[in-house]
């Protein structure tokens, strides 16, 4: 049972345009969401997060939107740059015991075309 | 600069060998995790530990064991390596407590079992 879903395995975007990566979750106990970026042969690096008490969090070119009623979040990258080409993982954690565990989606490979 | 290090970047082993993957973090984090990453499957949790000498099974513990004798070190053991354990192995750590859900990852070990 996949609790965090990234339904698009890959996405191609022209340099300078907006990249939108989507993530859906099924567990209503999740209250904190993170995006990680991963280059080949490297470990994932934290990109941006959002708490369930917010619906938007912004950090430079990266913005994460959360729609709790739809159990959906998205990562917007504007403008996209070739260096953004990587695999992006959505992750979620919940309240209570074991809240430090993260449940990851399967990832979306973003290719930014120069 | 915070850091999670893994003993090897690349490792080649034979079927049936006992394999040790070492992970060390210098952030004094209580929680440590082992994941494997496979194409199309995302990050899957193998084992985690929330304290010295404590361990909990993740989603795919079969064929693996772990050891945490010191706070900074978390070892993953493949008792008898098999070809289906060929994968990228990622170690992560995080501090205990609410609001500290971000996990910090090491660079990964690419293990090939022949």
């Amino acid at each position: 049972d996949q609790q965090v879903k990234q339904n698009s395995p890959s996405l191609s975007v022209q340099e300078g345009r907006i990249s939108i990566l989507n993530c859906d979750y099924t567990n209503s106990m999740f209250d904190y969401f993170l995006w990680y970026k991963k280059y080949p042969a490297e470990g994932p690096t934290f990109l941006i997060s959002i708490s369930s008490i917010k619906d938007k969090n912004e950090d430079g070119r990266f913005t994460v939107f959360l729609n709790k009623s739809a159990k959906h979040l998205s990562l917007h990258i504007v403008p996209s740059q070739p260096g953004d080409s990587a695999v992006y993982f959505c992750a979620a954690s919940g309240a209570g015991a074991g809240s430090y565990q993260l449940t990851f989606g399967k990832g979306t490979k973003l290719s930014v075309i120069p | 600069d915070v850091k999670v290090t893994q003993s090897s970047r690349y490792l080649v082993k034979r079927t049936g060998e006992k394999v040790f993957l070492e992970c060390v973090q210098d952030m004094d984090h209580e929680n440590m995790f082992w994941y494997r990453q496979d194409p199309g499957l995302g990050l899957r949790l193998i084992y985690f530990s929330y304290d010295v000498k404590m361990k909990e099974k993740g989603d795919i513990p079969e064929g693996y064991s772990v050891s945490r004798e010191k706070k900074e070190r978390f070892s993953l053991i493949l008792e008898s390596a098999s070809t289906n354990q060929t994968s990228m192995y990622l170690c992560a750590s995080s501090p205990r407590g609410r609001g500290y859900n971000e996990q910090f990852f090491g660079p990964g070990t690419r293990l090939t079992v022949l």
Side-chain angles (χ1 to χ4, degrees), chain B residues 8-10 12 14-15 17 29-32 37-38 41-42 47 59 66 69 72 76 79 87 98 100 105-106 108 113:
Chain B
S8 305
R9 293 300 300 272
Y10 299 93
V12 179
R14 297 276 179 195
T15 301
E17 279 192 79
H29 285 169
E30 289 80 9
N31 306 319
M32 296 189 74
Q37 186 209 351
D38 300 288
L41 296 178
Y47 267 98
D59 299 321
V66 290
E69 296 297 318
E72 68 272 16
L76 180 69
E79 296 290 341
S87 186
R98 288 295 297 137
Y100 291 98
F105 283 84
V113 182

Side-chain angles (χ1 to χ4, degrees), chain B residues 8-24:
Chain B
S8 305
R9 293 300 300 272
Y10 299 93
L11 209 52
V12 179
K13 295 292 182 181
R14 297 276 179 195
T15 301
E17 279 192 79
K18 191 169 186 175
V19 182
F20 293 87
L21 302 181
E22 303 283 338
C23 175
V24 177

Side-chain angles (χ1 to χ4, degrees), chain B residues 46-111:
Chain B
I46 305 171
Y47 267 98
F48 65 97
S49 168
Y50 52 87
D51 205 347
V52 175
K53 297 193 184 295
M54 305 301 288
K55 60 184 180 183
E56 294 285 343
K57 293 180 179 179
D59 299 321
I60 52 164
E62 296 79 18
Y64 303 94
S65 62
V66 290
S67 172
R68 189 150 181 219
E69 296 297 318
K70 293 185 178 181
K71 188 177 185 179
E72 68 272 16
R73 189 178 297 270
F74 192 34
S75 302
L76 180 69
I77 302 153
L78 285 67
E79 296 290 341
S80 178
S82 63
T83 54
N84 63 11
Q85 293 178 309
T86 292
S87 186
M88 168 72 93
Y89 289 88
L90 294 160
C91 175
S93 71
S94 71
R96 186 177 297 161
R98 288 295 297 137
Y100 291 98
N101 305 82
E102 179 187 343
Q103 293 180 13
F104 298 83
F105 283 84
T109 296
R110 170 70 66 185
L111 172 67

Side-chain angles (χ1 to χ4, degrees), chain A residues 77-92:
Chain A
I77 306 173
V78 184
S80 301
Q81 299 174 354
D84 296 329
S85 297
V87 178
Y88 289 79
F89 291 100
C90 171

